[in-house]
Amino acid sequence: SALTGPYSLSLQIIGTDKQATVLAETRIRVEEFQPDRLNLNVSWSKPSAIGWIKPENLSVDVNLRNLYGSAAAEHKIKSQLKLRPNSITFKDFSGYNFFDPFASSKSSFDQSLGEIYTDSQGQAKISLELEKFEPASYSLTALIEGFEKNGGRSVATTLSTLISPND
């Protein structure tokens, strides 16, 4: 339990000479709990087949609603994606090895996808433009954040899947 207000935190190590060396410092603010006032639902634009999704024209469909169900029209949506090289494996086939002709990629990518706004129905489509990355099998994670119209409060969620140009 802590009183509301600003706090300064400092992590220190005490040396053999009894002198404190600061390792890190940060400032935080403790506030009363405020429940979310928005509901954010997201999905891939293509259904996931068994295994992976092909990256061509893949996007994220966003539906942002106010807490009581009405559309959150003209609200800001920010997003970013993370691509990590990944081999093709399946839980149900743990004893098998699968050949992936695109497994040589070692590059990871983190990219901000910028800001868009919801339409009058509280919907938006985030284009991932995955075609600009080298063809490979990746673990794809998209972080999507929907903001209240007046202010900086937001709700956020993530989507993750395996993508591959393999058939």
Side-chain angles (χ1 to χ4, degrees):
S1 171
L3 297 175
T4 60
Y7 289 85
S8 294
L9 302 177
S10 175
L11 177 62
Q12 302 175 359
I13 188 168
I14 307 296
T16 56
D17 59 356
K18 306 270 189 223
Q19 294 293 318
T21 302
V22 176
L23 299 176
E25 291 182 309
T26 191
R27 296 184 189 281
I28 63 168
R29 181 171 183 79
V30 175
E31 297 180 352
E32 294 290 329
F33 172 75
Q34 297 180 9
D36 291 337
R37 295 186 286 216
L38 295 172
N39 183 13
L40 178 63
N41 290 305
V42 296
S43 61
W44 300 116
S45 60
K46 297 187 210 178
S48 177
I50 295 175
W52 59 84
I53 300 175
K54 290 186 76 95
E56 293 83 18
N57 301 314
L58 183 63
S59 59
V60 176
D61 295 327
V62 177
N63 185 350
L64 186 64
R65 307 205 69 74
N66 292 303
L67 184 62
Y68 298 106
S70 63
E74 305 300 322
H75 285 246
K76 179 171 58 173
I77 303 291
K78 288 174 69 173
S79 56
Q80 63 185 86
L81 69 81
K82 295 177 185 287
L83 288 174
R84 301 289 180 262
N86 199 344
S87 59
I88 296 177
T89 59
F90 303 99
K91 282 187 221 174
D92 293 343
F93 299 98
S94 59
Y96 293 86
N97 293 319
F98 295 91
F99 174 72
D100 182 4
F102 298 102
S104 62
S105 175
K106 302 283 189 251
S107 300
S108 293
F109 303 96
D110 293 338
Q111 181 172 336
S112 171
L113 299 173
E115 298 177 0
I116 59 173
Y117 287 83
T118 57
D119 63 15
S120 62
Q121 300 301 309
Q123 299 189 14
K125 184 174 284 291
I126 301 168
S127 175
L128 301 177
E129 300 176 1
L130 296 170
E131 294 81 13
K132 65 184 170 188
F133 299 102
E134 62 184 288
S137 297
Y138 292 106
S139 173
L140 166 63
T141 301
L143 170 65
I144 299 93
E145 194 172 13
F147 289 83
E148 290 185 358
K149 204 167 196 172
N150 300 319
R153 287 190 60 201
S154 66
V155 292
T157 191
T158 59
L159 277 176
S160 294
T161 193
L162 179 65
I163 61 168
S164 178
N166 290 312
D167 286 325

